[in-house]
Amino acid sequence: MVMRGAGLTIIFAAAVAACAPAERESAGASSAAGAALKPTLRAESGQFRLSQHRDVRVVFSLVNASRHLLHLDFPTEQHLEVAMRGSGGQRLFLWSEDRSFAASASSLVVNPGERLEFEVAVPTREMAVGGIYTVEAFLPGYPETASTIMLFPQ
């Protein structure tokens, strides 16, 4: 009798799982969910007068190009990273470097067609006139969301 009840419970659980909506794409690092996000990175100006700017504003956008709800999981409350490198590849700026994030896991839910947008001020203090600088933005744990632009201070 106990065995029969346990068998019904398992069948019931399997039936409920089969009826659950499969629209949500759960995300881990390098997942299909991250690939469904189409990233773009833009700056207020790629070429600018260094003497007139203390920082350059960059906007990182991601659009859910899929027809499914995307659930992005993060090990901390950090949902963004932005880095700037010089022409020699040396890192000159890391957005998260002077910020603290709670160590608790967090997540973002992105509806189909929805856009996430992050704006960051990238400091120009390490730049030199005539240099070439690469700015990269991405969601931590989702390398397929990376997008880069070049900056050319005058």
Side-chain angles (χ1 to χ4, degrees):
M1 193 92 152
V2 174
M3 178 88 145
R4 185 173 174 210
L8 288 177
T9 302
I10 292 171
I11 292 171
F12 177 72
V16 169
C19 293
E23 292 296 308
R24 178 179 134 170
E25 289 187 28
S26 187
S30 300
S31 69
L37 290 169
K38 302 301 176 207
T40 58
L41 182 61
R42 66 184 194 282
E44 62 187 357
S45 177
Q47 294 185 0
F48 56 94
R49 288 199 150 309
L50 193 56
S51 62
Q52 297 173 354
H53 289 81
R54 292 179 57 155
D55 56 48
V56 175
R57 300 235 175 249
V58 297
V59 178
F60 179 53
S61 300
L62 296 141
V63 176
N64 179 355
S66 76
R67 295 181 300 174
H68 305 288
L69 177 80
L70 300 179
H71 188 87
L72 305 168
D73 297 316
F74 299 91
T76 69
E77 289 192 358
Q78 180 184 359
H79 298 162
L80 171 70
E81 188 60 89
V82 178
M84 180 179 69
R85 296 189 182 278
S87 57
Q90 70 279 21
R91 188 181 77 209
L92 302 173
F93 169 74
L94 188 64
W95 177 80
S96 64
E97 199 166 54
D98 63 350
R99 291 172 169 70
S100 62
F101 302 95
S104 59
S106 62
S107 62
L108 290 174
V109 176
V110 189
N111 292 310
E114 185 176 30
R115 177 177 50 187
L116 298 175
E117 196 165 90
F118 303 92
E119 185 174 314
V120 174
V122 176
T124 61
R125 67 180 169 267
E126 299 289 332
M127 293 182 178
V129 173
I132 299 172
Y133 301 89
T134 304
V135 176
E136 179 182 37
F138 59 93
L139 302 181
Y142 297 92
E144 62 277 11
T145 64
S147 185
T148 61
I149 57 170
M150 304 294 279
L151 299 178
F152 307 94
Q154 303 297 310

